Amino acid sequence: MKINKKKGIWFFGLSGSGKTYASKIIKKIKKNSITIDGDDVRKFLSFDLGYSIRDRKVQIRRILGLAKISLKSNLFPIISTVYMDKHVAKQLKKNNIQLFEITRDLKEIMKWHKTYKNKKNVVGRDLKISKIKSKKIFNSGEIDFCRNIKKLIK
């Protein structure tokens, strides 16, 4: 799946799945791009939100707004978030932003990722999300994953 005809790309998936890593790879290749990382948006803009499903929905709608502003400025937004819902996914399609779910073995991530240690409101652990129609990329390891991400652009 090539994204050259798309106006942006949005990665979503569990914490530790490789979304930020994928975004950095695309950023190095794609000219006129801007990265919009959900963690950064939460830190600088959505600091008023928690991690409930309701707050996560507000968060991704704010990020969608940032993506639309980027598009108006002729920038290629590269977005990464943990959560996704059907409403935002539909808006992405309307705005010609390609949606990808990055997946990884949850048991493997839970062994080392700090998000999964004794916390509530963790997507994949105690928060379930709806099935979202999207392209999927499985992160099986750094070399193959990196190669698959680069194929999206070339």
Side-chain angles (χ1 to χ4, degrees):
M1 167 81 209
K2 304 261 190 229
I3 60 164
N4 289 331
K5 295 193 187 331
K6 298 295 180 180
K7 292 184 178 177
I9 189 169
W10 189 310
F11 296 115
F12 77 100
L14 298 175
S15 292
S17 62
K19 302 174 302 293
T20 301
Y21 183 71
S23 296
K24 288 177 183 178
I25 292 169
I26 300 291
K27 176 73 174 152
K28 286 180 182 177
I29 299 168
K30 192 71 177 165
K31 293 181 181 181
N32 294 327
S33 63
I34 181 172
T35 54
I36 303 172
D37 189 282
D39 290 338
D40 290 337
V41 173
R42 186 172 289 282
K43 181 178 178 183
F44 298 115
L45 182 65
S46 295
F47 46 82
D48 58 322
L49 299 176
Y51 293 89
S52 67
I53 292 290
R54 184 190 121 352
D55 285 351
R56 288 175 184 278
K57 286 182 179 190
V58 171
Q59 164 80 343
I60 62 170
R61 282 173 176 76
R62 288 178 183 176
I63 293 171
L64 176 62
L66 292 171
K68 289 178 178 180
I69 291 168
S70 300
L71 293 173
K72 284 181 82 171
S73 297
N74 293 317
L75 294 172
F76 184 92
I78 304 164
I79 304 150
S80 60
T81 62
V82 170
Y83 188 77
M84 178 53 58
D85 72 10
K86 290 178 182 180
H87 170 77
V88 171
K90 190 184 247 185
Q91 290 296 310
L92 296 177
K93 193 170 186 176
K94 260 184 168 177
N95 286 279
N96 203 19
I97 297 172
Q98 182 65 55
L99 181 62
F100 287 96
E101 180 178 9
I102 297 183
T103 61
R104 194 171 188 171
D105 183 356
L106 179 59
K107 288 179 185 175
E108 177 191 324
I109 296 173
M110 289 179 105
K111 288 179 190 174
W112 59 267
H113 199 283
K114 64 181 181 179
T115 299
Y116 299 97
K117 307 286 185 218
N118 302 320
K119 291 187 180 184
K120 288 184 175 179
N121 293 326
V122 177
V123 175
R125 201 171 114 224
D126 61 332
L127 292 181
K128 304 295 178 209
I129 58 172
S130 332
K131 297 266 186 203
I132 305 295
K133 189 174 183 178
S134 66
K135 304 279 183 189
K136 297 191 184 328
I137 302 170
F138 183 72
N139 183 353
S140 59
E142 191 171 331
I143 295 169
D144 287 339
F145 183 58
C146 185
R147 193 177 303 128
N148 289 336
I149 297 301
K150 286 181 179 178
K151 283 181 187 175
L152 297 176
I153 296 293
K154 294 180 177 180

